Amino acid sequence: MYDRFPYVPSGSREECHSGWPAIIPVIQSRAGVGSVIVVECYPGVFLDELHRELGAGLHDADFVLTPNLFRSAAEIDSMLEPWLGDDPVFGIMNTVEIEGFFDPARLAESRTHCENSARTTVVLGPGASLVCPEPALLVYADMARWEIQLRQRRNEIANLGADNFEDRASLKYKRAFFIDWRAADRLKTRLFSKIDLLLDTNKPGQPKAISGDVLRRSLAAAAKRPFRVVPFFDPGPWGGHWMERVLGLPSNNAPNHAWGFDCVPEENSLLLGFGDERVEIPSLNLVLTHPEELLGKGIVSRFGAEFPIRFDFLDTVGGGNLSLQVHPLTSYIREHFGMDYTQDESYYMLDAEEDAGVYLGLKEGIDREAMLRDLERAQEGDFDFPAEQYVNRFPARKHDHFLIPAGTIHCSGRNSMVLEISATPYIFTFKLWDWGRLGLDGHPRPIHLNHGLANIQWDRTTEWVSRSLIDQVVPVASGDGWREERTGLHKLEFIETRRHWFTQAVPHDTQGTVHVLNLVEGEKVVVESPDGAFDPFQVNYAETFIIPAAVGPYTVRPCGDTKGREYATIQAHVRV
């Protein structure tokens, strides 16, 4: 059965402090009279809860709350305007730091207060470590980006330095994606080696804590063994029900499950296991602290500390078509949005109904100007864009692989279960047509026609697409009970995929670069080290798993009652 809460075994139960009654004494033990305790907080943490609980435990302490030291919301908006603009989805990648949110005079005054106070002082909030760089105790209150998004949707939090609780969740997400998270991660990266206590604040009223030493030890171990990140799922206007049926997802009153984010380390969580306790941290922490062990030196030299591969699910079984869309060319995304690489991608068909299909590339000999006019009319309303007059629709079957280099018009059709394998900057999707429907929030989803039309590669038509982008399967190697195939991606894309069919153990080797795999056929397999470098790791059907570059050789073998059945994994890595 698909495991929705995978974890990395990291230590004993005694190393995890669960709940405020257990955590407060740990902090009190370091809170000498006149000392400064810094509680650095990731944007989105509930400061009221931390203030209340710490205040109850540290009765005589002074508190400095960093939001009170920020510049006005209007000043901050003005500072960020060049990077955010007025587009509802896209901004520009930037180098904004949390320091820029502070009023310089207030920050200086608070630093002086902390240096001269005879009482215990707690500095609490985002940027707290900037007020006192060398505290007696540095606590880092961390949380997952998925939980942040849920709090945004419930109007429980505003953006960093903003008073925008009531803004649409999509606008808060945009600002977090381009500003809050980038700035917070830059500061966090500088603090990892100094953290004394890591606080998991994902569940209100139920904090967990581990020491900084235990955190660093756990991350170092995770970078040398197979692991899975914690998936999360979201409904959408085109969503289906395959994942509910096959992966056992609860409905939770959701109308469907459209997306399943099974390996997007920038936004997924990593669960660290301590006996029966789990500490949830952003999986990005592992990328930031151990980039070379996880990714490999070649990838780090090319992309920096960024995980460049993502696997996610697109479920339209019983649903509808995705939006007709195109992704920006590398030169375009660099010029307009400050990104160094784009979202090249592919659709691997985990499953497909009889009428499943994929829209991919343009038809031969279309009237380009007529297509532009029809897209513009559709954007104005009261007109349905005749997609199949201009765009190819190819039938899709289980295990087909459709390659989608940037600039290729595309979308998955209804009644398909797609494993999307792509480069990571997934927010940069230019919708051209959304089939005349509304989003789940009752508003039309943003269309970016000008951006899209500037990137469509008009020469990617039926013959070229059929020859270059569909089921490009090439045998590579074979052995006792296994065979390996290259299935893509296109030479324009930097990711390569290999599929292995097997009835016996299959040898693999990372060769110094991270591998991401999914079990696309078969009930379960075991990943093992030939020399026992890590414990055997079980993977179930449709689960995505990561093999760090540092692992080197490993094997994947069927387990359970195989009865000679052929299994299959799809593996992706960066061409270096």
Side-chain angles (χ1 to χ4, degrees):
M1 175 62 74
Y2 182 89
D3 185 359
R4 292 189 293 122
F5 304 101
Y7 70 93
V8 179
S10 300
S12 66
R13 172 64 181 79
E14 292 71 24
E15 292 178 300
C16 176
H17 311 284
S18 182
W20 289 115
I23 294 171
I24 292 296
V26 176
I27 296 175
Q28 287 174 325
S29 67
R30 297 284 292 271
V33 176
S35 63
V36 178
I37 299 171
V38 163
V39 185
E40 180 68 55
C41 298
Y42 206 80
V45 170
F46 286 148
L47 299 186
D48 287 348
E49 177 186 342
L50 270 64
H51 189 192
R52 181 181 66 251
E53 298 295 339
L54 292 172
L58 305 171
H59 307 289
D60 298 323
D62 284 337
F63 276 79
V64 175
L65 304 181
T66 60
N68 296 335
L69 310 181
F70 287 174
R71 299 157 63 186
S72 71
E75 289 178 291
I76 291 172
D77 286 346
S78 178
M79 175 183 74
L80 301 181
E81 196 279 333
W83 310 113
L84 293 176
D86 57 6
D87 188 283
V89 178
F90 304 124
I92 300 174
M93 303 304 279
N94 54 79
T95 57
V96 171
E97 302 274 1
I98 287 184
E99 286 91 331
F101 288 76
F102 283 86
D103 179 277
R106 293 175 190 165
L107 179 58
E109 182 181 349
S110 295
R111 285 173 173 168
T112 300
H113 171 76
C114 290
E115 291 170 359
N116 298 327
S117 177
R119 299 174 61 186
T120 299
T121 302
V122 179
V123 187
L124 171 64
S129 58
L130 303 175
V131 178
C132 180
E134 298 295 335
L137 181 72
L138 173 58
V139 181
Y140 196 99
D142 213 350
M143 67 180 309
R145 288 189 181 174
W146 178 232
E147 173 60 23
I148 295 172
Q149 292 179 60
L150 295 177
R151 293 182 184 188
Q152 289 172 342
R153 295 176 187 182
R154 296 190 296 258
N155 293 330
E156 294 173 343
I157 58 173
N159 284 107
L160 186 64
D163 186 21
N164 62 344
F165 287 89
E166 300 302 322
D167 276 3
R168 289 172 59 180
S170 59
L171 295 177
K172 287 185 280 191
Y173 174 84
K174 171 195 167 181
R175 182 156 164 168
F177 181 91
F178 286 99
I179 302 294
D180 301 1
W181 297 343
R182 309 296 159 189
D185 289 334
R186 292 185 188 104
L187 179 57
K188 181 194 285 187
T189 301
R190 301 199 297 266
L191 296 177
F192 272 119
S193 63
K194 302 177 181 180
I195 293 172
D196 296 304
L197 192 70
L198 184 284
L199 200 60
D200 166 4
T201 66
N202 288 281
K203 295 182 179 179
Q206 304 176 55
K208 307 284 181 66
I210 55 175
S211 73
D213 288 340
V214 169
L215 169 68
R216 289 181 284 271
R217 182 196 73 200
S218 300
L219 291 173
K224 298 177 182 178
R225 52 155 295 162
F227 66 92
R228 292 183 60 225
V229 295
V230 182
F232 63 93
F233 304 88
D234 217 13
W238 42 264
H241 303 280
W242 186 93
M243 291 189 289
E244 297 164 9
R245 174 170 52 86
V246 177
L247 305 186
L249 302 186
S251 64
N252 291 335
N253 298 317
N256 57 60
H257 286 90
W259 290 278
F261 298 96
D262 205 42
C263 179
V264 187
E266 183 170 277
E267 294 197 13
N268 287 109
S269 296
L270 191 66
L271 283 181
L272 305 179
F274 297 91
D276 59 356
E277 291 285 2
R278 303 290 178 265
V279 172
E280 184 175 7
I281 62 172
S283 56
L284 185 59
N285 289 1
L286 181 59
V287 183
L288 296 175
T289 55
H290 295 277
E292 288 196 357
E293 296 96 322
L294 176 63
L295 304 174
K297 291 183 179 180
I299 293 179
V300 173
S301 66
R302 182 174 177 182
F303 298 99
E306 293 188 20
F307 201 100
I309 303 171
R310 75 161 187 164
F311 278 34
D312 63 275
F313 300 132
L314 306 173
D315 183 353
T316 68
V317 177
N321 300 330
L322 272 68
S323 62
L324 195 65
Q325 59 193 245
V326 66
H327 297 298
L329 303 174
T330 300
S331 57
Y332 193 90
I333 200 172
R334 182 181 295 120
E335 178 183 353
H336 291 268
F337 305 109
M339 287 289 297
D340 290 328
Y341 60 103
T342 191
Q343 185 174 324
D344 290 313
E345 66 182 21
S346 68
Y347 290 163
Y348 188 91
M349 307 306 294
L350 269 181
D351 208 346
E353 301 290 309
E354 285 298 320
D355 59 345
V358 169
Y359 292 82
L360 187 63
L362 298 163
K363 289 189 173 180
E364 305 287 356
I366 63 167
D367 185 332
R368 177 172 172 174
E369 296 304 318
M371 178 176 165
L372 297 181
R373 288 194 301 269
D374 283 349
L375 283 169
E376 289 169 352
R377 286 182 62 195
Q379 187 177 18
E380 294 169 358
D382 299 325
F383 176 75
D384 286 344
F385 177 69
E388 294 192 29
Q389 180 177 325
Y390 300 106
V391 182
N392 302 303
R393 184 185 182 279
F394 296 97
R397 299 292 177 262
K398 186 175 183 177
H399 295 305
D400 283 348
H401 200 176
F402 298 86
L403 314 182
I404 313 171
T408 309
I409 193 169
H410 68 281
C411 78
S412 175
R414 65 187 184 93
N415 286 333
S416 302
M417 184 59 211
V418 171
L419 172 63
E420 185 179 45
I421 302 172
S422 73
T424 299
Y426 60 96
I427 195 173
F428 295 98
T429 296
F430 302 143
K431 295 182 181 67
L432 305 171
W433 166 241
D434 204 23
W435 311 96
R437 64 194 167 201
L438 300 177
L440 295 183
D441 61 1
H443 297 280
R445 297 201 298 167
I447 300 294
H448 287 89
L449 200 53
N450 289 337
H451 284 312
L453 296 178
N455 284 276
I456 292 176
Q457 299 301 286
W458 298 94
D459 58 347
R460 295 181 186 172
T461 53
T462 309
E463 192 278 330
W464 184 87
V465 169
S466 301
R467 172 169 42 87
S468 306
L469 302 184
I470 302 175
D471 285 334
Q472 300 297 296
V473 179
V474 177
V476 173
S478 62
D480 183 16
W482 62 269
R483 54 194 170 91
E484 178 182 1
E485 304 166 333
R486 180 188 297 113
T487 69
L489 275 52
H490 190 267
K491 63 182 180 181
L492 295 174
E493 306 177 77
F494 64 75
I495 293 172
E496 181 159 310
T497 55
R498 300 289 181 92
R499 181 169 57 198
H500 292 81
W501 296 95
F502 55 98
T503 57
Q504 303 293 327
V506 184
H508 294 262
D509 194 325
T510 64
Q511 296 184 332
T513 186
V514 66
H515 284 186
V516 182
L517 300 92
N518 186 284
L519 180 61
V520 296
E521 188 70 43
E523 181 182 359
K524 56 186 175 181
V525 296
V526 173
V527 184
E528 295 173 307
S529 167
D531 59 3
F534 56 82
D535 292 335
F537 180 72
Q538 182 174 303
V539 177
N540 301 307
Y541 173 65
E543 291 180 351
T544 301
F545 56 106
I546 297 170
I547 309 292
V551 165
Y554 64 98
T555 61
V556 179
R557 66 169 176 83
C559 68
D561 185 12
T562 62
K563 297 180 180 178
R565 177 182 178 179
E566 196 169 40
Y567 285 57
T569 57
I570 189 79
Q571 177 248 94
H573 62 271
V574 174
R575 299 187 185 110
V576 292

